[in-house]
């Protein structure tokens, strides 16, 4: 990754500003990933990092920052895999509707929604490399996904369906996402979350829609698979 200020965009970034950094981000994504089917949704392929730790270390070397979170965009997280599976198996939930994939990472869930027949799919990220990965992965799977780079969590969502894969991994993120999802739900959206029992998963406000055991990256998760649920906000 680079130290480019747009690498983590807290303010919404205009399309022209995004496109000016986008090409180098796309090159970085292509250079450090390979195409592989998603273990729990093999009808979708993504560009993922063959090994987690070397890419993680490389991002720390390139940015000069220690203690960075993993390059989220380079993996299909358990929550995203479960949610993608659920959407692919229940296309009626998104077909013909406007869908927002918040904190989209690789874009896996957005791609699944587009595959399942959503009329319009928007994927949101604050990480310019994730934004690049989403564009690449949408092309790879032959679907159209619009991208919004910047922090939407303080805004009012307008989509018919809001999807969030693996977002309860930190207290701060969980708090911000929950407020956003609650506002979406109150405006009438269907809100679905995929979660493998992360530390800040809320204890109430959701009903379990599906439960799976999802294969995960052992380098990142210390396990070969994780029990993972799809939660519907109530
Ligand atoms: C664990 S990853 C999940 C990615 C994907 N949804 C999946 O399940 O594979 C969490 C993602 O949240 C993104 N993120 C963190 N804060 C965010 C924010 N305020 N708005 C949008 N995305 C954010 C990170 O960049 C990261 O890609």
């Amino acid at each position: 990754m680079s130290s480019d200020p747009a690498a983590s965009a807290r303010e919404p970034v205009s399309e022209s500003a995004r496109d000016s950094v986008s090409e180098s981000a796309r090159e970085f994504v292509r250079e450090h990933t390979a195409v592989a089917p998603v273990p729990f949704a093999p009808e979708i392929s993504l560009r993922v990092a063959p090994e987690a730790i070397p890419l993680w270390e490389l991002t720390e070397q390139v940015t000069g920052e220690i203690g960075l979170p993993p390059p989220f965009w380079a993996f299909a997280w358990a929550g995203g895999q479960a949610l993608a599976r659920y959407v692919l198996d229940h296309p009626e939930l998104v077909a013909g509707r406007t869908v927002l994939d918040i904190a989209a990472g690789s874009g896996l869930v957005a791609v699944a929604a587009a595959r399942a027949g959503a009329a319009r799919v928007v994927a949101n990220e604050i990480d310019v490399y994730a934004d690049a990965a989403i564009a690449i992965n949408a092309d790879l799977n032959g679907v159209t996904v619009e991208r919004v780079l910047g922090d939407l969590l303080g805004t009012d969502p307008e989509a018919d369906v809001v999807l969030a894969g693996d977002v309860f991994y930190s207290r701060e993120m969980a708090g911000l996402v929950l407020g956003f999802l609650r506002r979406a739900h109150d405006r009438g959206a269907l809100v679905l979350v995929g979660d493998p029992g992360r530390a800040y998963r809320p204890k109430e406000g959701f009903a379990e829609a599906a439960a799976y055991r999802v294969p995960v990256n052992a380098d990142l998760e210390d396990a070969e698979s994780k029990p993972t649920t799809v939660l519907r906000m109530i």
Side-chain angles (χ1 to χ4, degrees), residues 10 72 75-77 79-80 103-105 124-127 151 153 165-166 169 173:
R10 286 286 163 187
F72 289 116
F75 307 98
W77 294 84
N124 168 242
E125 258 295 337
I126 53 165
D127 178 348
D151 197 334
L153 295 182
D166 229 316
Y169 56 89
M173 179 69 170

Side-chain angles (χ1 to χ4, degrees), residues 7-10 46 69-84 101-110 124-128 130-131 134 148-154 163-170 172-173 176-177 194 198 221:
S8 182
R10 286 286 163 187
L46 298 176
F72 289 116
W73 50 268
F75 307 98
W77 294 84
Q81 291 197 63
L83 192 48
D101 177 12
I102 193 89
S106 64
L108 166 60
V109 174
N124 168 242
E125 258 295 337
I126 53 165
D127 178 348
V128 71
D131 183 73
I134 293 163
V148 174
L149 177 61
D151 197 334
L152 297 183
L153 295 182
L163 304 174
D166 229 316
V167 286
F168 298 134
Y169 56 89
S170 81
E172 187 200 1
M173 179 69 170
L176 291 168
V177 172
R198 297 289 182 217
E221 305 274 17

Side-chain angles (χ1 to χ4, degrees), residues 28-42:
F28 186 92
V29 170
R30 284 195 201 95
E31 195 180 332
H32 298 290
T33 58
V35 175
V38 175
F40 207 57

Side-chain angles (χ1 to χ4, degrees), residues 83 94 97-104 109-110 113 118 120-125 146-148 152-153 155-165 180-181 184 190-192:
L83 192 48
V94 297
R97 308 178 82 187
T98 297
V99 175
L100 172 64
D101 177 12
I102 193 89
V109 174
R120 181 177 173 223
V121 181
V122 179
N124 168 242
E125 258 295 337
E146 295 171 38
R147 287 136 46 228
V148 174
L152 297 183
L153 295 182
T155 69
D156 283 334
E158 280 179 12
D160 302 322
V161 181
V162 178
L163 304 174
F180 180 85
L181 297 179
L190 169 66
V191 174
L192 296 170

Side-chain angles (χ1 to χ4, degrees), residues 205-216:
F206 289 89
E208 189 173 295
Y212 305 114
R213 181 163 277 278
V214 174
V216 293

Side-chain angles (χ1 to χ4, degrees), residues 59-75:
T59 59
E60 293 196 329
Q61 278 168 25
V62 172
T63 59
E65 289 177 53
I66 301 300
L68 288 176
F72 289 116
W73 50 268
F75 307 98

